[in-house]
């Protein structure tokens, strides 16, 4: 007689992991086919979003570069105009000195 006969009615026992892993075990862990399309669509959407953001960052970097170049150009123009104005003021003072014209309006004519 089989001493284990009393257990033969139940078949092979499977471990109950519900206490250890209270969350739902995904279907792919059982070797079943899983629909991966939603995940692949999400990955594709995130890659497109990433590419779009990278293009926008490049566009903004180019715009910042152009603006910095324009600021530098305007600063150079301002420096040239300030030097020119100083030279003109020096020439005007030299002429005023030769003609004895006062520098300031308060000095009188």
């Amino acid at each position: 007689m089989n001493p284990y006969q009393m257990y033969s009615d139940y078949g092979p026992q499977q471990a109950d992991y519900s206490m250890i892993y209270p969350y739902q075990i995904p279907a792919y862990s059982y070797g079943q086919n899983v629909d991966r399309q939603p995940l692949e669509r999400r990955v594709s959407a995130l890659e497109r979003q990433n590419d779009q953001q990278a293009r926008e960052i490049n566009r903004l970097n180019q715009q910042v570069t152009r603006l910095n170049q324009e600021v530098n150009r305007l600063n150079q123009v301002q420096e040239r105009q300030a030097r020119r104005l100083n030279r003109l003021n020096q020439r005007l003072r030299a002429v005023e000195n030769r003609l004895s014209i006062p520098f300031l309006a308060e000095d009188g004519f």
Side-chain angles (χ1 to χ4, degrees):
M1 180 155 187
N2 185 355
Y4 303 105
Q5 186 175 6
M6 62 181 180
Y7 297 109
S8 65
D9 294 339
Y10 299 109
Q13 297 292 318
Q14 289 187 345
D16 181 19
Y17 294 110
S18 63
M19 297 303 286
I20 299 171
Y21 302 109
Y23 52 86
Q24 181 70 22
I25 298 175
Y28 59 83
S29 67
Y30 297 111
Q32 299 174 358
N33 289 333
V34 176
D35 185 15
R36 293 174 139 315
Q37 288 182 352
L39 180 61
E40 290 173 356
R41 281 196 301 266
R42 180 68 177 142
V43 168
S44 296
L46 289 173
E47 287 174 344
R48 282 192 305 274
Q49 183 180 3
N50 188 31
D51 291 342
Q52 181 181 3
Q53 289 174 346
R55 285 191 302 272
E56 180 68 11
I57 288 171
N58 285 337
R59 187 187 69 78
L60 291 173
N61 282 337
Q62 290 173 352
Q63 188 174 358
V64 166
T65 301
R66 279 195 304 269
L67 290 173
N68 282 334
Q69 290 171 347
E70 182 68 13
V71 166
N72 288 337
R73 188 186 68 76
L74 291 173
N75 283 337
Q76 291 172 353
V77 167
Q78 182 182 4
E79 289 173 9
R80 281 195 307 268
Q81 289 175 345
R83 286 193 302 268
R84 182 176 181 208
L85 183 61
N86 286 336
R87 285 193 309 271
L88 288 173
N89 281 335
Q90 288 172 354
R91 290 178 190 160
L92 180 61
R93 286 192 183 118
V95 169
E96 288 173 340
N97 283 337
R98 268 189 241 130
L99 299 175
S100 299
I101 299 174
F103 293 137
L104 302 174
E106 293 104 25
D107 292 342
F109 286 97

